[in-house]
């Protein structure tokens, strides 16, 4: 029987009883509380707010568990918030193991699991909107405690408002604010005490469980890494500030003999039958077998998880990645090597802030494993070269004078050893307010009982902004209110209603309207404008949904890059000069299907729903583009050069699939649209099923297989691709239609690459189609050409026989491509395996 912490709840809620019960539970697990943990827990069970600023690895998560325990014992509902959904999900499963599934829920905007539970894990934005809707009168049974993890996000320009709003709107709640890099928190200490009436304890500790040693390296990175390996300072995480740099560094370090033969054999055994896809997968396979990992947000989740598992097993000595390790990367690290002390922040190249530096450095050293952690900062390459030249010259003044010092590259933002020393000694910068006013803020406040004008006045005049900033927020709030009034979304009342409202909403808002696809109502309205009988209906619905999903920026950038290269080639062929080409190029962008229809619908919708102005409609074509090109995931990655953004593309495809399933009404899902949705889901599942597994685990926790500790069991690989016959038929149709498209372009080389193994090389294809083009001028590739009526599938056990009829301009349909589909080979490959057997007249 599982021993949940809830079984230890004392009948007495006396602080001493609560602390003793929790400390006993901790001690039984072989954990000894650090002094800072003890201090924070004593303050929490005594009812104080706590600001916990202790180094990474000092057990802040355990203090959070103690806070939830105390709140549960006292009948207060507690909320755990984090900046990213992945951390919220991880904490949800962790707390389920500790408190039991009945006592823990989750809300992220995408998913809602057990939302009435006494402990809720959620993103900061969810809690902020809930706080705005409930206001200061929120009871402790609604929100009695807030655990804000990674509280330094308070300063984030775009999202910091969500960390501030609960502090302003929940005076009855107890707060635990946690981060390793908070800086001076005296303002928050006084402000929290004033607002909540509770004392606020600041618990800090500069002493790490694993002390850090800092070093500035004037040796080339290969030498630095070799030295660290030989002095037993692995595992080493080499930090880069771009994904491309991380991969390039990992490949360059292949020249170092990282592992012994026995260690490489152990890695190969641990990898087992893991399926690496073409492209980056093959690169990663070579790297990890050499003992080198790569970890960044652009990778497929299954690849990141593999690197984490190999690292946790002690099999990877080097990992090259980005600074995302500062937000919860789950790998053991003894040494952190920073390749630079500058980063591009989206606007300019700048030095790291002290907070950023300490967030990254703090990952070094593993509590319970290491007695020391190491942080090494590489000097700039030109500085290293100059130092080597000086060393070579020795004490000879003549040789020293002859040295031509290498200069920094043009535009390079330099860093020096003094930059390094300053960052090591510096305290994290004070957190700065990032308060914002939006339509959703006003709507949430107006929806609560009482005088909305008084509520907003207090929120706008008693926040953490200075007075000039507050005036700007007040003016924006007035402008937003007037737009809501003019649109009829709110109305003023002659007399206050029974709940004390002087203004009220004229529309009903779902709880998560501001977060969970806020443009979904617009999408539904736009779908109603389409003709379900149109051959393009299914793809047009996809385009509408794609316009409401977050942009995959790297994918769109590559689409635009390719489109502009093709446009330049066409303009050169037309003889346009450089200036004309550059002028015309400004109008070339990535594909935006239905842009005019969607923009018109958006404008009309916005007139009646002005809060939509907070969210941008973004027409684009990724799912549609992939489907129309009849490409699979690997082919699409190769076509646009997206090897370093596989994870971004997959997350986008998964989000679009989920939105199509949940947003499009069933009566609008025609057979072709349902086919397309099934195809998209299977495509995601075959590439990396973990995203869909994650959704299933969140929505239906009881149906998910778990290990002995209660954690969800990750599937070893995707299910057989032929299991979902409907989706597999679409995969077959796409494979056949791809050949139709290539035949229409008379691209015999590409056809030969697809089918040479089955005896159809480029020459065979050209010979077979020559007779067709003697009769017809073209092969059509429009919606009718790829429709189900022109594809005949005859299942015969483990072999399907298929015939793709060509759409000739006269409509005779007397030519076709015949093929066999090997089901067993398809399951092995994770896609439809086609063997062409004939091309000719029917």
């Amino acid at each position: 029987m599982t021993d949940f912490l809830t079984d230890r709840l004392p009948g007495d809620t006396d602080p001493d009883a609560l602390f003793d019960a929790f400390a006993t539970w901790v001690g039984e697990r072989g954990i000894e509380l650090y002094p800072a943990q003890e201090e924070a827990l004593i303050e929490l069970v005594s009812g104080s707010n706590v600001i916990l600023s202790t180094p990474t690895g000092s057990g802040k998560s355990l203090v959070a568990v103690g806070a939830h325990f105390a709140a549960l014992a006292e009948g207060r509902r507690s909320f755990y918030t984090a900046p990213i959904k992945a951390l919220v999900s991880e904490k949800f499963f962790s707390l389920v193991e500790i408190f039991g599934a009945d006592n823990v829920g989750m809300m992220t905007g995408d998913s809602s699991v057990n939302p009435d539970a006494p402990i809720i894990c959620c993103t900061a934005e969810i809690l902020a909107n809930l706080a705005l809707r409930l206001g200061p009168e929120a009871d402790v049974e609604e929100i009695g405690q807030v655990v804000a993890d990674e509280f330094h996000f308070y300063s984030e320009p775009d999202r910091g408002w969500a960390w501030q709003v609960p502090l302003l709107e929940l005076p009855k709640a107890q707060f635990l604010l946690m981060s390793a890099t908070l800086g001076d928190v005296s303002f928050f200490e006084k402000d929290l005490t004033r607002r909540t009436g509770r004392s606020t304890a600041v618990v800090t500790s500069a002493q790490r469980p694993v002390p850090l040693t800092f070093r500035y390296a004037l040796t080339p990175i290969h030498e630095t890494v070799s030295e660290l390996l030989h002095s037993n300072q692995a595992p080493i995480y080499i930090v880069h500030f771009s994904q491309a740099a991380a991969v390039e560094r990992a490949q360059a370090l292949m020249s170092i003999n990282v592992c012994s033969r026995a260690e490489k054999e152990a890695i190969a055994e641990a990898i087992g039958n893991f399926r690496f896809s073409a492209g980056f997968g093959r690169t990663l396979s070579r790297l990890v077998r050499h003992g080198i990992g790569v970890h960044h947000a652009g990778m497929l989740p299954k690849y990141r998880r593999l690197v984490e598992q190999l690292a946790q097993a002690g099999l990877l000595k080097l990992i090259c990645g980005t600074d995302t390790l500062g937000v919860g990367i789950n790998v053991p690290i003894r040494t952190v090597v920073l390749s630079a002390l500058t980063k591009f922040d989206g606007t300019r190249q700048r030095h790291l802030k002290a907070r950023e530096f300490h967030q990254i450095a703090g990952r070094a050293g593993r509590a319970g494993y290491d007695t020391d952690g190491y942080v090494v900062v590489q000097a700039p390459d030109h500085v290293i070269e100059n130092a080597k030249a000086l060393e070579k010259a020795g004490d000879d003044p003549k040789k020293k004078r002859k040295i031509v010092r290498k200069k920094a590259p043009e535009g390079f933002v330099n860093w020096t050893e003094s930059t390094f020393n300053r960052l090591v000694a510096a305290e994290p910068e004070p957190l700065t307010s990032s308060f914002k006013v939006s339509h959703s803020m006003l709507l949430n406040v107006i929806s609560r009982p009482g005088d909305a004008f008084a509520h907003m006045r207090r929120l706008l005049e008693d926040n953490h902004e200075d007075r000039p900033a507050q005036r700007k927020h007040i003016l924006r709030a007035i402008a937003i209110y007037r737009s809501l009034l003019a649109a009829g979304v709110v109305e003023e009342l002659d007399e206050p209603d029974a709940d004390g409202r002087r203004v009220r909403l004229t529309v009903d808002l779902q709880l998560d309207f501001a977060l969970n696809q806020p443009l979904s109502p617009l999408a539904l309205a736009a779908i109603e404008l389409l003709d379900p009988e149109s051959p393009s209906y299914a793809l047009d619905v996809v385009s509408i949904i794609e316009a409401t999903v977050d942009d995959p920026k790297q994918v769109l950038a590559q689409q635009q890059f390719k489109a502009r290269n093709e446009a330049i080639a066409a303009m050169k062929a037309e003889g346009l000069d450089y200036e004309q080409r550059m002028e015309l190029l400004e109008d070339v962008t990535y594909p935006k299907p239905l842009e005019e229809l969607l923009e018109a619908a958006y404008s009309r919708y916005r007139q009646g729903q002005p809060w939509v102005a907070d969210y941008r409609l973004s027409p684009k074509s990724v799912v549609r583009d992939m489907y129309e090109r009849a490409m699979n995931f690997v082919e699409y990655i190769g076509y646009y050069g997206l090897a370093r953004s596989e994870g971004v593309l997959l997350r986008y495809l998964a989000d679009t699939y989920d939105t199509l399933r949940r947003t499009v009404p069933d009566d609008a899902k025609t057979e072709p649209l349902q086919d397309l949705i099934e195809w998209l889901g299977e495509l995601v599942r075959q590439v990396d099923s973990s995203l869909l597994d994650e959704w299933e685990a969140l929505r239906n926790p009881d149906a998910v297989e778990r290990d002995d500790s209660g954690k969800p069991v990750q599937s070893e690989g995707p299910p057989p691709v032929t299991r979902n016959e409907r989706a597999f038929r679409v995969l077959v149709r796409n494979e056949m239609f791809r050949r139709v498209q290539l035949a229409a372009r008379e691209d015999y080389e590409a056809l030969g690459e697809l089918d040479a193994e089955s005896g159809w090389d480029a020459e065979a294809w050209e010979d077979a189609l020559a007779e067709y083009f003697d009769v017809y001028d073209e092969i059509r590739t429009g919606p009718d050409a790829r429709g189900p009526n022109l594809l005949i599938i005859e299942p015969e056990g483990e072999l399907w026989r298929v015939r793709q009829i060509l759409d000739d301009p006269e409509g005779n349909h007397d030519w076709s491509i015949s093929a066999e589909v090997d089901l067993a080979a398809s399951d092995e490959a994770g896609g439809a395996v086609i063997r062409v057997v004939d091309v000719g007249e029917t």
Side-chain angles (χ1 to χ4, degrees):
M1 183 176 177
T2 305
D3 177 23
F4 291 124
L5 184 51
T6 45
D7 299 332
R8 306 300 184 90
L9 290 172
D12 185 0
T13 57
D14 175 75
D16 289 339
L18 286 173
F19 180 83
D20 289 344
F22 184 73
T24 300
W25 178 82
V26 170
E28 289 174 0
R29 277 148 183 77
I31 302 171
E32 184 178 346
L33 292 171
Y34 297 126
Q37 290 175 308
E38 279 195 353
E39 182 184 351
L41 287 165
I42 290 170
E43 294 288 354
L44 285 165
V45 298
S46 300
S48 299
N49 301 309
V50 172
I51 301 174
L52 183 59
S53 181
T54 57
T56 302
S58 59
K60 289 186 286 294
S61 293
L62 190 59
V63 175
V65 171
H68 292 304
F69 176 74
L72 200 59
E74 295 169 355
R76 294 183 288 129
R77 195 178 191 213
S78 58
F79 281 73
Y80 167 88
T81 70
I84 58 176
K85 286 182 263 189
L87 286 182
V88 172
S89 173
E90 182 181 310
K91 183 59 68 172
F92 167 74
F93 287 118
S94 172
L95 291 177
V96 165
E97 292 174 34
I98 295 169
F99 290 100
D102 292 342
N103 290 307
V104 187
M106 186 181 71
M107 293 185 283
T108 65
D110 289 337
S111 301
S112 179
V113 179
N114 198 15
D116 297 323
I119 300 172
I120 293 292
C121 302
C122 64
T123 52
E125 285 84 356
I126 288 282
L127 178 63
N129 278 286
L130 199 55
L132 287 167
R133 183 164 294 202
L134 295 174
E137 299 307 312
D139 201 277
V140 294
E141 284 86 7
E142 294 174 301
I143 306 178
Q145 183 190 81
V146 173
V147 177
D149 205 353
E150 307 288 352
F151 186 71
H152 56 273
F153 271 76
Y154 171 95
S155 284
E156 285 289 303
D158 293 328
R159 302 181 60 203
W161 68 272
W163 275 260
Q164 181 172 163
V165 161
L167 308 182
L168 307 179
E169 291 292 277
L170 300 174
K172 294 181 182 179
Q174 178 190 35
F175 287 88
L176 169 58
L177 312 181
M178 306 191 302
S179 173
T181 54
L182 287 179
D184 180 9
V185 293
S186 54
F187 167 80
F188 296 101
E189 180 185 6
K190 295 172 185 173
D191 189 70
L192 268 178
T193 298
R194 174 177 70 86
R195 293 177 187 276
T196 66
R198 300 172 183 265
S199 61
T200 301
V202 177
V203 179
T204 62
S205 173
Q207 184 174 0
R208 289 172 48 92
V210 180
L212 293 181
T213 300
F214 292 88
R215 179 160 70 89
Y216 190 70
L218 284 165
T219 50
I221 196 162
H222 278 62
E223 293 181 21
T224 303
V225 169
S226 295
E227 179 194 339
L228 292 169
L229 288 170
H230 289 124
S231 57
N232 197 32
Q233 293 181 38
I236 303 164
Y237 195 103
I238 308 176
V239 182
H240 305 79
F241 295 95
S242 77
Q243 295 172 4
V247 177
E248 288 166 6
R249 180 80 67 195
Q251 291 174 310
L253 291 172
M254 288 278 284
S255 61
I256 297 177
N257 190 18
V258 175
C259 295
S260 67
R261 181 185 295 274
E263 288 169 330
K264 289 179 181 178
E265 288 174 356
I267 291 171
E269 184 179 348
I271 291 172
N273 296 322
F274 184 89
R275 186 198 288 177
F276 291 95
S277 305
F280 178 72
R282 290 175 182 166
T283 300
L284 182 64
S285 178
R286 288 194 303 272
L287 289 168
V288 293
R289 292 177 196 280
H290 195 76
I292 301 174
V294 177
H295 197 287
H296 62 70
M299 293 166 59
L300 295 179
K302 67 177 182 181
Y303 292 156
R304 290 202 303 272
R305 191 169 63 251
L306 174 68
V307 170
E308 290 167 9
Q309 289 170 344
L310 292 174
Q312 287 159 359
L315 296 173
L316 296 182
K317 295 184 180 179
L318 291 180
I319 301 174
C320 296
T322 57
D323 57 334
T324 52
L325 87 163
V327 192
I329 178 177
N330 186 26
V331 299
I333 300 165
R334 174 173 284 184
T335 301
V336 168
V337 176
L338 284 89
S339 61
L341 289 178
T342 59
K343 68 181 291 186
F344 183 70
D345 63 6
T347 305
R348 62 189 177 89
Q349 197 78 15
R350 60 164 174 80
H351 286 133
L352 294 181
K353 295 177 181 177
R355 171 169 290 105
E356 294 167 332
F357 176 79
H358 287 292
Q359 277 289 131
I360 297 167
R363 293 290 164 182
R366 303 164 296 175
Y369 294 90
D370 299 324
T371 55
D372 290 282
Y374 304 92
V375 180
V376 180
V377 172
Q378 284 291 123
D381 290 342
H382 68 280
V383 173
I384 292 172
E385 288 190 36
N386 290 336
K388 280 209 138 193
L390 282 169
E391 183 183 0
K392 190 175 179 181
D395 296 328
D396 189 331
K398 289 183 179 179
K399 288 182 179 179
K400 284 185 176 180
R401 282 197 298 271
K402 288 181 180 179
I403 293 173
V404 179
R405 292 182 181 271
K406 190 145 189 170
K407 294 183 179 179
E410 188 174 346
F412 181 77
V413 176
N414 197 31
W415 70 91
T416 64
E417 190 165 5
S418 63
T419 312
F420 162 72
N421 291 329
R422 176 182 59 78
L423 286 170
V424 171
E427 289 291 318
E429 298 82 1
L431 297 174
T432 55
S433 173
S434 298
F435 187 81
K436 279 187 176 181
V437 176
S438 64
H439 289 78
S440 59
M441 176 180 282
L442 261 73
L443 288 166
N444 275 315
V445 171
I446 291 171
S447 70
R448 79 167 82 139
D451 185 347
F453 297 107
H455 296 329
M456 279 304 300
R457 184 180 299 113
R458 183 186 55 78
L459 186 60
L460 293 168
E461 294 183 348
D462 190 19
N463 52 47
H464 297 167
E465 301 277 280
D466 59 26
R467 191 57 189 162
Q470 287 179 349
R471 291 194 191 98
K472 291 179 181 177
H473 295 316
I474 290 169
L475 292 174
R476 173 159 170 76
I478 291 170
I480 290 173
Y481 175 73
R482 286 173 177 167
S483 72
L484 293 171
L485 199 62
V489 177
V490 301
E491 63 180 4
E492 294 180 351
L493 304 176
D494 294 332
E495 297 289 336
D497 67 10
D499 292 318
R501 294 186 181 92
R502 294 165 52 198
V503 59
R504 70 182 177 194
L505 300 178
T506 60
V507 294
D508 291 327
L509 301 177
Q510 72 269 27
L511 180 63
D512 57 356
F513 82 97
L515 294 167
N516 190 5
Q517 299 300 344
L519 294 179
S520 290
L522 167 63
L524 294 178
I527 288 171
E528 291 180 0
L529 301 175
L530 302 178
D531 177 10
E533 301 300 319
S534 168
S536 65
Y537 173 79
L539 288 171
D540 288 344
V541 170
V542 169
S543 292
I544 289 172
I545 295 302
E546 287 201 76
T548 69
V549 178
D550 289 344
D551 287 350
K553 293 179 182 177
Q554 295 93 322
V555 179
L556 301 186
Q558 287 300 104
Q559 283 185 335
Q560 179 169 288
F561 178 74
K562 191 171 185 68
R564 289 187 169 182
N565 281 346
E566 291 172 354
I568 286 174
M571 287 186 279
K572 283 182 177 178
E574 292 177 20
L576 298 180
D577 62 33
Y578 177 80
E579 290 185 1
Q580 288 176 304
R581 295 200 302 268
M582 292 302 102
E583 184 177 345
L584 292 171
L585 206 59
E586 290 297 316
D587 298 326
V588 178
T589 184
Y590 53 84
K592 298 180 180 181
L594 306 186
E595 183 177 20
E596 290 186 11
L597 179 147
L598 287 166
E599 291 294 350
Y602 179 75
S603 296
R604 289 196 299 273
Y605 186 71
R606 184 173 160 180
Q607 291 172 7
Q609 320 288 341
W611 69 78
V612 169
D614 290 341
Y615 309 98
R616 189 172 65 88
L617 187 73
S618 179
K620 51 189 169 292
S621 178
V622 177
V623 174
R624 180 172 186 155
D625 186 43
M626 183 181 290
Y627 189 83
E628 288 185 319
R629 293 184 187 279
M631 288 182 171
N632 60 34
F633 187 84
V634 172
E635 290 161 347
Y636 200 76
I637 290 288
Y639 183 73
Y640 283 112
L642 293 166
R644 290 171 181 151
S645 303
E646 288 179 329
V648 174
L649 175 61
L650 184 70
R651 172 63 71 174
Y652 175 82
L653 298 177
D655 287 348
T656 305
Y657 167 65
D658 194 46
T659 307
L660 280 164
R661 281 200 310 166
R662 292 194 295 138
T663 300
V664 180
D666 288 341
D667 59 6
K669 292 176 179 173
T670 60
E671 285 293 311
L673 177 56
Q674 192 62 57
D675 285 348
L676 196 153
I677 294 172
E678 289 290 326
W679 160 80
L680 181 56
E682 193 60 33
L683 183 149
V684 172
R685 192 171 285 107
Q686 291 299 319
V687 174
D688 187 340
S689 62
S690 63
L691 288 175
L692 303 189
D693 292 346
E694 179 183 308
W695 286 338
E696 184 58 34
L698 297 180
R699 289 177 186 151
N700 192 9
D702 296 333
V704 176
E705 183 184 355
R706 299 178 183 275
D707 60 22
D708 294 338
S709 68
K711 291 183 179 179
V713 175
Q714 294 284 354
S715 55
E716 292 186 4
V721 71
T722 59
R723 185 186 68 170
N724 184 338
E725 183 173 323
R726 184 170 199 163
F728 186 63
R729 282 176 175 267
V730 179
L731 292 174
V732 171
R733 185 189 309 163
N734 283 353
E735 283 296 324
M736 295 301 292
F737 192 69
R738 181 147 58 118
R739 288 157 173 81
V740 172
Q741 290 176 314
L742 294 172
R745 296 200 298 268
E746 299 181 55
D747 189 345
Y748 303 118
E749 290 298 324
L751 285 165
E753 289 177 12
L754 283 176
D755 299 312
E757 287 187 13
S758 55
W760 285 82
D761 58 14
E763 186 177 348
W765 270 103
E766 186 171 5
D767 290 344
L769 289 170
E771 296 180 37
Y772 175 92
F773 286 114
D774 286 341
V775 180
Y776 302 113
D777 293 333
E778 64 173 343
I779 298 174
R780 291 181 173 177
T781 58
D784 290 332
R786 76 178 304 151
N789 294 334
L790 295 186
L791 179 67
I792 299 169
I793 298 178
E794 298 175 348
E796 294 182 9
E798 287 298 302
L799 204 67
W800 285 6
R801 302 194 185 281
V802 299
R803 189 157 60 88
Q804 175 68 59
I805 300 168
L806 302 184
D807 190 17
D808 61 83
E810 295 179 19
N812 293 327
H813 297 159
D814 52 356
W815 273 71
S816 64
I817 303 170
S818 297
E820 295 174 342
V821 184
D822 186 328
L823 301 193
S826 297
D827 283 337
E828 179 69 23
V833 175
I834 303 288
R835 287 196 291 266
V836 173
V837 297
D838 187 40
V839 179
E841 282 190 273
T842 304

